[in-house]
Amino acid sequence: MLRNALPEMITKKLPGPKAAAIISRRADAVPTAVKCTYPIVIARGEGAMIEDVDGNRFVDWVGGVGVLNIGYSHPEVVEVVKAQTEKYFHGMFNIVTHEGYVALAEKLNGCTPVAGEKKKTYFANSGAEAVENAVKFAKAYTKRPNVIAFSGAFHGRTLLAMTLTSKKAYAAGMGPFPDGVYRAEFPYLYRKPVGISAEDTISYYISKLEEVFEQCSPANYVAAMVVEPVQGEGGFIPAPVEWIKAVRGICDKYGILLIADEVQTGFCRTGRLFASEYWSDAGVMPDIMATAKSIAAGIPLSAVVAREEIMESAPAGTIGGTYCGNPLACAAGLKVMEIMERDHLADRALEIGKTVSARYLSWKEKYSVVGDIRGLGAMLGIEFVKDKTTKEPYPEFVSRLVTEAAAHGLVIENAGIYGNVIRFLAPLVITDAQLEAGLDIFEAAIESCLCMSDTKDRRKFGAASH
Ligand SMILES: Cc1ncc(COP(=O)(O)O)c(C=O)c1O
């Protein structure tokens, strides 16, 4: 069974003949702006494993970029979705109510760590839509026009989400962008300015944030700040808890709402159902949460959750969309939440995180190119540098690693503003043997890439990951 299988390569090189034919058709039929540098054409997926059309088997550490925390084709999710297809596929929620939407909203209202007693949930289709709607609710509630986002942030590819997103490789040529979005520096501690002591680090970043009020937008014009608890595309960088406490303090002082973008961090990835539960431990709660990705095991769905007074502030008709809260997706979402709780997937994320970070830390000692290891639970980044002292990013090495690992049956992807970080987002149902196999392939790839010359460098700094 693929679910319990180990990586195995059938073809001598990638892509194999069947995959190559489909990839060539893709190039003819689909714009290259939908970026994909992988030589893999999926035939089926189970658990943490992919089988391609040529029979090669890969262990997947990308998981659809954080969508498959529960794994590919979970049999119980397949069953409830099939059962829902027998009843109806679609019931536009602005026209007919379906119970799955209501039940999933009730479930999320009961377990999301956002401020307030009574909560309400709105469903959309994608992470970008969830973030956009979170901003819409914040504007409606505060009656203010502006938003603050952070360096390294990724919030999606719709116009507002692209504007909030920091890495402009994702928005090249797409301007002009909406007014009223301002950027402050995110605490990327590995790359904090030279000369700032450990004790002064948080106050340095907070002073940079406060500068925005002087130089860009007065605080009383700011509706919200949008923060990823662990920056994903930005390089798997956790927001330090002391920093988020100070950010919450500033929000409270000026009546600004704090939006947690848990699109990538949600649904057990970080060792809790939501990463902002770590914030609650420190007495901090966001006002609004946007989440998506692993919520429905791969069926498009996203959610915005906040206290009733915020969610009731948007006028009727300003929120909604034809497919939002699709019945198949809500059926999947309810089952995902049940399985995550029953099978303790948050605890499994902690275990996986321990295993992977122990191995990564040994590589940091051993290999000159491993600069930093960081993350939360099973959301881990490993940053590659040319020189540990100068910390010069080494994206060319990471590009080679991705290709080398795929050739041996491991799917990994880069991240980071310099494209020099490998992200760990493997499905949390990965078996111990598959995890070890992946780590072995990864380490062998590091060793063989260290032997290759830099003349093979391909990727430039600042490129989009996918
Ligand atoms: C933190 C975060 N926010 C928003 C998005 C956008 O989600 P989507 O691609 O579903 O629009 C992503 C996607 O990677 C993300 O990681």
Side-chain angles (χ1 to χ4, degrees):
M1 207 171 42
L2 181 59
R3 194 170 301 280
N4 297 317
L6 290 174
E8 188 186 353
M9 302 311 286
I10 303 293
T11 58
K12 283 214 172 69
K13 64 181 185 71
L14 288 178
K18 289 183 185 156
I22 295 168
I23 289 169
S24 152
R25 281 169 51 206
R26 172 184 173 140
D28 259 3
V30 180
T32 40
V34 188
K35 193 176 173 211
C36 176
T37 50
Y38 288 88
I40 299 167
V41 177
I42 187 169
R44 61 201 182 103
E46 283 179 21
M49 298 298 294
I50 297 174
E51 189 171 281
D52 81 356
V53 286
D54 295 291
N56 296 305
R57 289 178 161 189
F58 302 86
V59 60
D60 179 5
W61 278 16
V62 185
V65 193
V67 171
L68 295 161
N69 290 356
I70 202 159
Y72 286 93
S73 318
H74 195 293
E76 291 172 71
V77 178
V78 171
E79 203 177 301
V80 293
V81 172
K82 272 188 184 161
Q84 181 60 46
T85 62
E86 302 284 334
K87 296 184 207 157
Y88 49 88
F89 282 33
H90 176 71
M92 209 276 197
F93 202 70
N94 299 55
I95 308 292
V96 284
T97 297
H98 65 89
E99 195 185 348
Y101 189 122
V102 179
L104 190 57
E106 287 168 346
K107 185 91 189 140
L108 286 171
N109 293 338
C111 67
T112 32
V114 297
E117 283 304 310
K118 182 164 167 47
K119 327 252 169 78
K120 291 199 167 184
T121 293
Y122 163 69
F123 291 113
N125 304 293
S126 67
E129 275 181 88
V131 175
E132 288 231 21
N133 280 287
V135 170
K136 283 167 77 175
F137 281 114
K139 288 185 176 183
Y141 179 70
T142 58
K143 315 246 178 314
R144 297 175 179 186
N146 296 340
V147 186
I148 294 178
F150 290 87
S151 57
F154 184 86
H155 299 294
R157 291 181 172 92
T158 55
L159 194 61
L160 178 62
M162 259 193 311
T163 312
L164 292 166
T165 290
S166 159
K167 190 170 175 177
K168 291 303 172 206
Y170 287 107
M174 296 295 155
F177 299 104
D179 196 6
V181 173
Y182 302 103
R183 199 165 304 285
E185 206 173 327
F186 187 83
Y188 186 172
L189 299 186
Y190 177 62
R191 294 187 179 277
K192 74 177 160 63
V194 179
I196 307 274
S197 68
E199 311 84 75
D200 292 339
T201 305
I202 299 300
S203 49
Y204 163 78
Y205 287 104
I206 291 300
S207 70
K208 297 307 273 181
L209 174 55
E210 279 171 335
E211 273 176 20
V212 174
F213 299 142
E214 280 154 34
Q215 296 179 11
C216 306
S217 167
N220 62 350
Y221 278 60
V222 178
M225 297 192 197
V226 190
V227 177
E228 292 163 81
V230 180
Q231 281 196 339
E233 304 304 305
F236 281 47
I237 312 166
V241 171
E242 285 311 308
W243 177 77
I244 200 70
K245 273 165 83 173
V247 169
R248 177 75 265 183
I250 292 175
C251 288
D252 290 342
K253 184 168 162 195
Y254 297 111
I256 297 168
L257 298 184
L258 179 59
I259 299 175
D261 178 347
E262 289 242 24
V263 168
Q264 195 162 152
T265 48
F267 296 93
C268 298
R269 173 53 50 192
T270 66
R272 307 289 279 271
L273 183 57
F274 294 105
S276 37
E277 289 173 34
Y278 292 105
W279 298 0
S280 331
D281 292 349
V284 170
M285 280 187 159
D287 297 292
I288 307 180
M289 182 193 289
T291 190
K293 294 208 185 255
S294 276
I295 185 172
I299 307 191
L301 186 70
S302 62
V304 182
V305 190
R307 60 183 175 275
E308 186 174 30
E309 53 179 330
I310 296 174
M311 296 303 269
E312 290 301 336
S313 62
T318 56
I319 302 290
T322 304
Y323 296 108
C324 295
N326 170 270
L328 303 176
C330 289
L334 282 163
K335 190 47 93 176
V336 163
M337 295 205 66
E338 182 190 320
I339 296 168
M340 285 187 163
E341 212 173 312
R342 181 196 70 203
D343 295 351
H344 307 289
L345 284 194
D347 294 340
R348 178 66 183 146
L350 292 177
E351 266 173 33
I352 292 171
K354 261 193 199 149
T355 306
V356 176
S357 43
R359 193 76 177 266
Y360 280 4
L361 283 168
S362 75
W363 297 350
K364 194 174 165 196
E365 298 295 305
K366 212 159 145 190
Y367 301 116
S368 60
V369 286
V370 177
D372 194 33
I373 312 291
R374 54 182 178 251
L376 211 51
M379 185 166 181
L380 295 167
I382 174 166
E383 176 155 357
F384 289 87
V385 290
K386 289 188 176 158
D387 179 307
K388 290 196 192 203
T389 313
T390 63
K391 301 183 181 174
E392 186 184 345
Y394 205 172
E396 310 89 338
F397 187 82
V398 163
S399 272
R400 289 203 292 268
L401 268 180
V402 170
T403 307
E404 185 64 14
H408 293 88
L410 170 68
V411 184
I412 48 176
E413 196 199 10
N414 77 356
I417 47 177
Y418 305 109
N420 66 327
V421 177
I422 292 286
R423 57 180 98 205
F424 180 89
L425 286 172
L428 303 173
V429 294
I430 192 168
T431 67
D432 289 340
Q434 289 163 349
L435 190 60
E436 287 303 327
L439 286 164
D440 290 345
I441 296 170
F442 196 171
E443 182 162 9
I446 294 177
E447 294 199 342
S448 76
C449 289
L450 279 169
C451 297
M452 290 181 201
S453 87
D454 277 359
T455 52
K456 287 199 176 161
D457 291 350
R458 273 158 297 156
R459 193 171 286 183
K460 300 263 184 293
F461 284 19
S465 298
H466 58 255

